[in-house]
Each structure stands twice: as structure tokens, then as C-alpha cells.
Amino acid sequence: MLSTTREEEERLLDFFAGAPREVVELAKNETLEYLLDQREDGTISPSITTAFWGDHETMTSVDHIVALVQYGGYLLERQLMEPETAIESWRDYYEMTAEQVNLLKSIYERKISNPHGSIVLSRGELEVIGAESPEGWRESRTSFEEMGIDWEDDSLGK
């Protein structure tokens, strides 16, 4: 973890009280290394508002559900929904076309059926995305790469 006082490190790790050792180690060595905030005095330190961990069945946090949602959990609202409900919510929020919804479902099914396998989007699939600017293509490409999804046509989004 970044150079912090023992007191500050303990405060940060209080968010992970009761978490499995692997979660605490991941928080110390990865997560808190990248969630940084610059204070008024110019010092940079880890910043955290809430934390949770879990498996396919449960989610745990030291925060009450209201605090969890209030302090950042709402950012994952759609990710925590049932898949069909989340897809409907994304469709409405992003005003997605039927073709875009079908692409989303296709990518989701491929990822779920083979989480660690290679997924490559064809030129036709990429055209469905409908990014309207080079910046939009770059952002789309970055998001897909973060999920381990490649593009057949390397000329888009560069």
C-alpha cells in the first residue's frame, strides 16, 4: 500500500473487517494502490467510501445497505440486477436499438459460457455499436479490452 500512517492504514482496512484474507490482501496490494485522492495539502493517499466482497451467492460489507448504496454501491446497480432486468435497464438508459440489445445479449452469452475464452467482435458487430466519433471508438475499445474482448478490425478506435 502507499506510504500511509499505521492509523490511516487501519482506518482504510476497517472497511474490510471480516473479509477473507485474500480480499484484504487484494485491497492492500491492488485496489487501494489505485483509488487515490489528492488532498488540499497536495499529499496523495488512498480514498475509499465503501467496500464489499462476495461470491456468486452473497455480498458482504461492513456498511449497512443504505450506506453501501449512498457511498458508491449505486454505481454497480445494473451489475447486481438479474441479467434480463439489467439489459432492459441499459436499453432504456442508453436508448439502445434492438440490434444493439441483441449484440449485448450475444456478448453476454459468449462471456458467460466461456469466461476465460477469447471473444473477438467482427466488423459487423462493431458497426452495431454505433460510436459517432474517434473518441467514442477509443472508449469502446478500452472498455472491451478491460473485459478481455478483442476487435477483428484493428483500424477502428485507433
Side-chain angles (χ1 to χ4, degrees):
M1 194 161 21
L2 287 174
S3 177
T4 59
T5 65
R6 179 179 303 270
E7 183 178 288
E8 184 173 13
E9 183 173 330
E10 287 175 9
R11 182 189 64 78
L12 293 168
L13 293 178
D14 281 348
F15 283 93
F16 300 93
R21 185 181 53 77
E22 306 86 48
V23 170
V24 174
E25 290 302 312
L26 183 65
K28 285 169 60 173
N29 299 322
E30 297 286 333
T31 307
L32 294 172
E33 291 283 330
Y34 298 102
L35 297 173
L36 305 176
D37 190 29
Q38 185 170 359
R39 296 181 180 161
E40 289 182 19
D41 66 1
T43 61
I44 296 175
S45 65
S47 176
I48 184 169
T49 56
T50 193
F52 60 91
W53 56 92
D55 55 31
H56 295 289
E57 302 297 322
T58 62
M59 184 175 89
T60 305
S61 176
V62 296
D63 289 326
H64 184 276
I65 188 66
V66 173
L68 177 69
V69 171
Q70 179 181 2
Y71 294 118
Y74 67 90
L75 296 169
L76 298 174
E77 177 183 15
R78 288 180 183 91
Q79 287 82 348
L80 297 173
M81 292 177 177
E82 290 296 321
E84 283 302 316
T85 304
I87 289 169
E88 288 177 30
S89 180
W90 272 307
R91 181 197 67 217
D92 294 343
Y93 184 80
Y94 291 108
E95 299 177 347
M96 295 169 71
T97 66
E99 199 173 20
Q100 289 170 326
V101 170
N102 289 336
L103 176 60
L104 172 60
K105 288 179 180 180
S106 170
I107 294 169
Y108 172 77
E109 290 301 325
R110 286 184 268 176
K111 192 70 172 170
I112 290 299
S113 66
N114 191 0
H116 304 291
S118 175
I119 296 175
V120 178
L121 299 182
S122 69
R123 172 94 185 180
E125 288 174 317
L126 293 171
E127 289 172 358
V128 170
I129 294 170
E132 297 177 2
S133 69
E135 182 181 354
W137 282 113
R138 281 190 299 277
E139 289 175 7
S140 293
R141 184 180 199 104
T142 298
S143 293
F144 280 116
E145 286 174 348
E146 289 171 351
M147 294 181 283
I149 299 172
D150 296 316
W151 293 15
E152 180 181 84
D153 186 342
D154 282 338
S155 67
L156 293 172
K158 286 195 171 181

